[in-house]
Amino acid sequence: EYIFLIAELHRYKADRAALKARWPSVLGAWRHMERLRASTRTPANLAAEKRMLYGLMPPSISHEGYSAKPQYSLWDDFWALRGYRDAAFLAAQLKAPEADAIAASRDQFAADLKAAITASAAHWRIDYIPGATSLGDFDATSTTVALDPGGARGDLDPAMLEATFERYWREFTARRDGQREWQAYTPYELRTVSSFLRLGWRDRAQQLLTYFMADRRPAGWNGWAEVVGRDPREVRFIGDMPHAWVASDFLRGALDLFAYNDEEARALVIGAGLTPDWLSGKGSRIGGLATPYGTLDLSVRGDAQRLRIRIAGSARPPGGFHFDWPFANTPPPARSGSRSLAWRGKRLIIPATGQPQTINIAR
């Protein structure tokens, strides 16, 4: 997490002097992770019944659910993978002599992590990504970190990833629609909004937000408790309130509705959470949104027959701006000025020109 923080500061500020000053601490964090994973890269863990533990971070109490006994929590490992990748990124920025060694450890850890998840699924006979490989438990709220900020989608089995969040959706709607008994839940689940957007589930993401917004406690505080009970008048444990971690999950999800960074494509995905009702009338807009590529001003307005996108600000992602058509019909032709833009299925790739541009999508 520390390495990720330093990398984020550099991505947004590009302060080389500050990075050089912090580099010894980044190296220290990387070396500590190396010692931790070495403790599980043992011959004993190569046995079939323990292969799901090999090369991972050691067991921990990453959350209260594992307080009875530390577990091999994938929350720790997805954060570790993020740290390895960012350490390699920062080493490359500085042309550090440790760059090759860090890149090699990154790749080795990524391979071990993928193999451990596969082994865990086989051992526990599950089709989803477990919360901990040592338990085979279901914990989609924890798995969200794999996508954001983990950026590990490319390292995960697509079928397992979809099965994980499809199951979460089924369980969420059963609770929401009164189809099963429940007593309490934690609004940490707000993290799933960003995950759903990355899976292309914009309507579901908006339904999640609608539900969670109605469960702010007390309503007039505009914040969330750590635990929300079904009966707001019941005397029960509520944890921290208002809960800043939950609030940060909301803020990240709300901003992702407008734009998020696709690290693999080095692109900004715009409007992923804007549903037709958000696009009608005056549409939706955001200004001065900070991204790793500069600031973004964005407005989107229209319907299934005619839609207009305006992009401005300093953001110039190398992979351009990606916009997924939010309607059921086949996307109409798209133009930026006099230039035609090509659809890839229902995704529009808009080159980043460095200049304000208006994209018209119409028959």
Side-chain angles (χ1 to χ4, degrees):
E1 291 173 3
Y2 173 78
I3 298 172
F4 169 69
L5 173 61
I6 301 307
E8 284 287 272
L9 288 170
H10 187 70
R11 278 187 279 264
Y12 282 81
K13 296 294 184 180
D15 187 336
R16 186 176 178 84
L19 174 57
K20 287 183 69 175
R22 294 175 175 124
W23 178 243
S25 297
V26 171
L27 272 181
W30 168 67
R31 287 170 177 148
H32 181 58
M33 289 198 300
E34 288 290 270
R35 289 190 290 271
L36 290 174
R37 74 185 183 95
S39 71
T40 68
R41 294 191 98 245
T42 63
N45 281 345
L46 285 173
E49 68 276 10
K50 291 189 174 182
R51 186 62 184 82
M52 58 191 171
L53 314 177
Y54 183 83
L56 300 182
M57 292 293 110
S60 76
I61 305 172
S62 67
H63 63 73
E64 293 91 333
Y66 300 153
S67 58
K69 180 183 178 182
Q71 299 294 338
Y72 287 78
S73 170
L74 288 178
W75 171 274
D76 300 342
D77 297 295
F78 291 133
W79 267 114
L81 182 58
R82 175 80 269 174
Y84 274 113
R85 284 185 168 151
D86 282 337
F89 162 70
L90 296 175
Q93 295 296 302
L94 292 174
K95 295 181 172 57
E98 301 87 355
D100 288 344
I102 294 174
S105 65
R106 172 203 61 199
D107 294 344
Q108 187 180 68
F109 181 75
D112 286 347
L113 174 56
K114 188 173 184 178
I117 294 173
T118 300
S120 180
H123 178 84
W124 298 110
R125 298 180 181 180
I126 56 177
D127 65 352
Y128 53 82
I129 299 167
T133 60
S134 51
L135 284 179
D137 55 327
F138 180 74
D139 186 6
T141 306
S142 175
T143 307
T144 57
V145 74
L147 299 182
D148 178 47
R153 183 172 183 175
D155 299 281
L156 302 174
D157 179 271
M160 290 182 68
L161 179 64
E162 184 160 340
T164 302
F165 289 104
E166 282 286 2
R167 173 170 167 176
Y168 169 78
W169 175 249
R170 291 194 303 271
E171 294 185 0
F172 164 79
T173 53
R175 182 179 70 213
R176 180 194 64 184
D177 300 340
Q179 296 173 351
R180 69 179 177 92
E181 288 296 319
W182 65 279
Q183 296 302 317
Y185 76 93
T186 172
Y188 289 147
E189 291 182 26
L190 268 161
R191 298 174 201 151
T192 56
V193 172
S194 290
S195 296
F196 276 27
L197 295 176
R198 284 162 175 76
L199 291 170
W201 299 349
R202 74 176 71 218
D203 292 330
R204 290 180 175 183
Q206 285 286 0
Q207 290 183 56
L208 292 175
L209 279 173
T210 298
Y211 179 86
F212 297 132
M213 293 296 281
D215 268 347
R216 288 170 288 174
R217 302 282 176 83
W221 287 20
N222 296 321
W224 288 270
E226 185 175 7
V227 178
V228 170
R230 186 170 191 171
D231 178 2
R233 304 301 298 172
E234 179 186 5
V235 178
R236 62 168 303 111
F237 174 78
I238 59 173
D240 301 325
M241 186 176 76
H243 202 288
W245 192 354
V246 175
S248 72
D249 288 328
F250 164 72
L251 289 171
R252 291 187 302 116
L255 294 177
D256 285 350
L257 298 175
F258 294 90
Y260 68 82
N261 180 29
D262 183 333
E263 290 185 63
E264 186 175 356
R266 301 184 68 198
L268 287 178
V269 180
I270 57 174
L274 305 183
T275 49
D277 57 322
W278 280 52
L279 300 175
S280 62
K282 294 182 179 180
S284 294
R285 65 184 178 87
I286 194 168
L289 178 63
T291 82
Y293 311 108
T295 59
L296 174 67
D297 300 331
L298 173 72
S299 67
V300 190
R301 177 171 61 89
D303 55 33
Q305 303 306 316
R306 183 179 297 272
L307 188 132
R308 175 173 292 181
I309 304 170
R310 288 194 174 96
I311 299 172
S314 62
R316 196 170 182 177
F321 302 96
H322 294 185
F323 177 75
D324 292 327
W325 186 241
F327 303 100
N329 63 317
T330 300
R335 303 185 67 84
S336 176
S338 60
R339 184 176 76 255
S340 294
L341 300 177
W343 290 93
R344 297 179 185 173
K346 283 197 167 187
R347 169 159 286 193
L348 184 65
I349 309 299
I350 306 167
T353 64
Q355 300 295 324
Q357 56 180 315
T358 298
I359 296 88
N360 288 297
I361 305 172
R363 297 290 177 195

